[in-house]
Amino acid sequence: CTDTRAKEEKERAIEALKSRIECGEGGFGNLCFISHSGDFKMRSNVVSEASVSTRVGQWWGAIPFFTASLVILCGAIYAICLLVGYDSFEQVCFNPDLVIFKFEVFRIYTSAVFHISILHLVFNMLALVPIGSGLERILGSVRYLHVLLVVATSNGLLHVVIAYISAHNPIREYSHFMHECGIGFSGIIFAMIVMETSLSAAQSRSIFGLFTVPAKWYAWILLILFQLLVPDVSLLGHLCGILSGFACLLIFTPFCLLSFFFSVYLLY
């Protein structure tokens, strides 16, 4: 009788234990564990983690239309140059002397979308995506496209004027500014940094994640750091980018409208 009763109690305990299992039939790849309450739960042993391609897709999908289009355009131009072996960048770079005396104004725009190396392209595009995305969300896509056109034109105009004045300075001539061959999107990015920082009302900005600086000094500190770290970059091109950004913010109506109509005249 004792053995029978013990056997029955054991069977009842097993049935009670089974009734507390909440993980169902289980199946391949699943296991049950005991929670703090003593109940059985189901936990998948397959960790649900987004793949690299999924994360890249999500990152790319969050980029606004015209900013993404600029990345594609610059990347496609670089890829085509690589495939056909084109490296005559002096034909498309921004050269103030040729813009003034041969009226090769197309260089204002071609110089922005060509890049001389993969690192040059990648660094510029990685800077463009967050700055351009923020500015496009603030302004809206149509106005953002207008601002890009205005900034590219005003940047080129300022570059030509400052280079010409520097080369004909009666105190000390800096004639090399007239013959610089500037290329890349970074000048426009500097103008976008000024505008996006001002319009977003940010109080501080991070420099490469190492330290923060007041937002109003952000573009100037980047200008100095890039010149120290990469001496071959165009100081005048970046400086004109900053100045054109401030000009569009401070005297938007006369300056930017003038640049807009001038750019339309050049394109048509």
Side-chain angles (χ1 to χ4, degrees):
C1 293
T2 303
D3 293 340
T4 302
R5 187 177 300 144
K7 186 176 180 181
E8 290 175 352
E9 290 178 356
K10 184 178 180 180
E11 289 177 352
R12 285 197 297 269
I14 292 174
E15 291 297 329
L17 189 62
K18 287 182 178 180
S19 65
R20 294 168 63 188
I21 296 179
E22 298 177 356
C23 59
E25 297 179 358
F28 182 76
N30 294 325
L31 58 87
C32 297
F33 70 97
I34 301 177
S35 67
H36 294 296
S37 62
D39 294 333
F40 278 72
K41 305 288 184 183
M42 188 224 297
R43 174 185 289 172
S44 173
N45 61 1
V46 179
V47 179
S48 177
E49 184 174 347
S51 64
V52 174
S53 60
T54 302
R55 292 184 176 184
V56 171
Q58 292 173 346
W59 171 78
W60 180 256
I63 302 175
F65 177 76
F66 282 119
T67 300
S69 299
L70 277 173
V71 175
I72 293 173
L73 176 62
C74 293
I77 289 174
Y78 179 79
I80 292 171
C81 290
L82 203 62
L83 290 174
V84 302
Y86 181 84
D87 59 358
S88 301
F89 296 112
E90 67 276 1
Q91 297 178 355
V92 295
C93 69
F94 186 85
N95 186 316
D97 185 72
L98 297 177
V99 172
I100 294 174
F101 297 108
K102 292 191 175 181
F103 203 62
E104 295 182 358
V105 293
F106 65 86
R107 293 176 178 273
I108 293 175
Y109 308 103
T110 57
S111 62
V113 294
F114 279 80
H115 293 82
I116 61 175
S117 69
I118 186 63
L119 287 178
H120 187 203
L121 172 69
V122 169
F123 285 146
N124 275 354
M125 295 303 101
L126 287 177
L128 169 64
V129 167
I131 297 298
S133 297
L135 192 58
E136 186 170 355
R137 292 188 185 102
I138 293 171
L139 298 175
S141 294
V142 175
R143 190 178 298 174
Y144 172 75
L145 182 61
H146 170 209
V147 166
L148 283 178
L149 185 61
V150 167
V151 165
T153 306
S154 59
N155 192 8
L157 292 176
L158 282 173
H159 197 148
V160 166
V161 171
I162 295 176
Y164 186 83
I165 293 174
S166 299
H168 297 83
N169 183 2
I171 300 175
R172 181 176 179 180
E173 295 184 356
Y174 295 90
S175 57
H176 64 280
F177 284 136
M178 285 293 292
H179 304 285
E180 276 188 348
C181 191
I183 197 166
F185 207 79
S186 54
I188 299 177
I189 291 174
F190 269 91
M192 295 169 67
I193 288 173
V194 171
M195 299 187 72
E196 194 274 339
T197 300
S198 177
L199 294 175
S200 65
Q203 297 299 314
S204 62
R205 283 297 171 91
S206 173
I207 301 292
F208 310 131
L210 300 176
F211 56 93
T212 59
V213 297
K216 63 181 179 180
W217 298 111
Y218 180 57
W220 297 107
I221 292 175
L222 284 180
L223 175 69
I224 296 171
L225 285 178
F226 276 115
Q227 200 62 37
L228 292 175
L229 296 174
V230 191
D232 292 335
V233 299
S234 175
L235 172 63
L236 189 55
H238 292 171
L239 175 62
C240 290
I242 293 176
L243 295 178
S244 64
F246 278 117
C248 283
L249 287 172
L250 298 177
I251 48 176
F252 186 87
T253 302
F255 185 81
C256 289
L257 286 182
L258 176 63
S259 297
F260 174 69
F261 288 123
F262 183 74
S263 61
V264 171
Y265 169 74
L266 294 180
L267 292 175
Y268 288 95

